[in-house]
Amino acid sequence: MPKGGRLMIETRTAELKPSDVSGHDGLAAGDYVAIALTDNGRGIAEADLAKVFEPFFTTKDVGKGTGLGLSMVYGFVKQSNGHVVLDSEVGRGTRVMLYLPRAAVVSAAAVPERRQLDVRGAREIVLVVEDDRLVRSYVLTQIESLGYTTLSANNGNEALAVLDSGAPIDLLFTDVIMPGAMNGRDLATEARKRRPGLRILFTSGYTDDAIDQDGKLVQGILFLAKPYSRAELARMLRVALREEGAVIAQEPAA
């Protein structure tokens, strides 16, 4: 709604029957909370409807959108065993329905106290390798806001040049799929030749991206799936940087 308009938010309980969830993989019949968001804005073009939940897809101008918002909503809802329905028509507006499973009421006394984990950095140096300029800028900003120092590279060859420069690096955080002859897995192999024990964290928008030569995610690799939240990024950076992280990116046993 670039020129303003009306946004309506509705909530209600909903009982989904087996006939309601038929054809929706992973959605079970039961009690849900339904949240509807309806606007009278310009709507979404039909060609874009199938792509709006894809990580980093955006129709906004350069610098005005990361394409992560709706993909994070979709990921959150699916991880919560819920469902998203999006209807839109150009010139008439958009309606998004979120179905989230109803939670049983639990008294505060029954909830165990969680130990708080310190997930902020201590100025450790993270080399971020990402070929998309906007995504790279976004990731660098997030990592720096968590208390780290960052270096960046556009591709594997640039990353190796940074490593060869002798710059101190505590963690290599690399995308798996990159243009050119060197993907993230290849980069990790070359990086470990130069710096044995270097901690490595992989990321990708697809969990079946080619990390090993068969195109499968191999056991023993530390991996952060896109899209991820700031909290997930913070936690995985700490996991990768802890003492055990030195063995995370070793080659799998034959």
Side-chain angles (χ1 to χ4, degrees):
M1 296 183 289
K3 298 181 180 180
R6 184 185 71 250
L7 175 64
M8 181 183 301
I9 302 175
E10 307 166 82
T11 61
R12 62 181 174 84
T13 58
E15 180 184 357
L16 298 185
K17 300 177 180 179
S19 58
D20 298 322
V21 301
S22 176
H24 299 291
D25 292 340
L27 185 64
D31 293 329
Y32 289 79
V33 172
I35 305 172
L37 301 100
T38 307
D39 69 41
N40 63 345
R42 58 189 181 188
I44 302 172
E46 184 176 357
D48 294 330
L49 279 175
K51 299 183 286 186
V52 294
F53 292 122
E54 293 180 3
F56 305 116
F57 173 78
T58 180
T59 58
K60 294 181 180 179
D61 294 334
V62 174
K64 294 186 177 181
T66 64
L68 286 172
L70 283 176
S71 62
M72 292 179 68
V73 169
Y74 183 85
F76 165 75
V77 172
K78 289 300 182 180
Q79 290 170 14
S80 302
N81 296 319
H83 189 57
V84 184
V85 177
L86 189 151
D87 293 311
S88 187
E89 184 177 341
V90 173
R92 301 194 62 172
T94 301
R95 180 178 177 85
V96 181
M97 287 289 298
L98 310 178
Y99 292 92
L100 299 171
R102 289 180 61 185
V105 176
V106 179
S107 67
V111 178
E113 182 179 354
R114 293 185 178 180
R115 181 175 63 87
Q116 294 297 316
L117 176 65
D118 184 7
V119 293
R120 289 195 59 80
R123 309 313 303 177
E124 294 100 326
I125 301 173
V126 181
L127 173 56
V128 177
V129 188
E130 167 62 58
D131 63 281
D132 187 293
R133 181 179 61 83
L134 289 178
V135 175
R136 185 170 65 251
S137 177
Y138 172 82
V139 173
L140 290 170
T141 299
Q142 292 298 312
I143 292 177
E144 289 169 3
S145 74
L146 290 167
Y148 298 91
T149 299
T150 61
L151 299 171
S152 68
N154 181 58
N155 53 47
N157 288 328
E158 287 188 10
L160 292 180
V162 175
L163 288 164
D164 290 339
S165 73
I169 298 171
D170 297 298
L171 174 68
L172 172 63
F173 182 38
T174 179
D175 200 356
V176 176
I177 298 300
M178 295 184 289
M182 185 180 302
N183 62 26
R185 182 59 176 168
D186 298 330
L187 170 59
T189 299
E190 292 299 319
R192 292 298 294 272
K193 289 177 181 179
R194 289 162 167 77
R195 302 196 186 190
L198 177 66
R199 293 160 171 81
I200 300 174
L201 173 62
F202 292 100
T203 186
S204 177
Y206 304 92
T207 56
D208 60 351
D209 274 343
I211 291 181
D212 66 4
Q213 61 183 356
D214 296 322
K216 299 299 180 182
L217 183 63
V218 296
Q219 187 175 7
I221 295 298
L222 197 58
F223 183 85
L224 178 60
K226 296 177 181 177
Y228 47 79
S229 67
R230 184 172 182 272
E232 290 170 331
L233 173 62
R235 183 182 67 83
M236 290 301 289
L237 288 174
R238 291 320 306 164
V239 170
L241 283 164
R242 67 190 182 190
E243 185 175 352
E244 300 95 310
V247 301
I248 284 174
Q250 288 181 345
E251 295 289 340

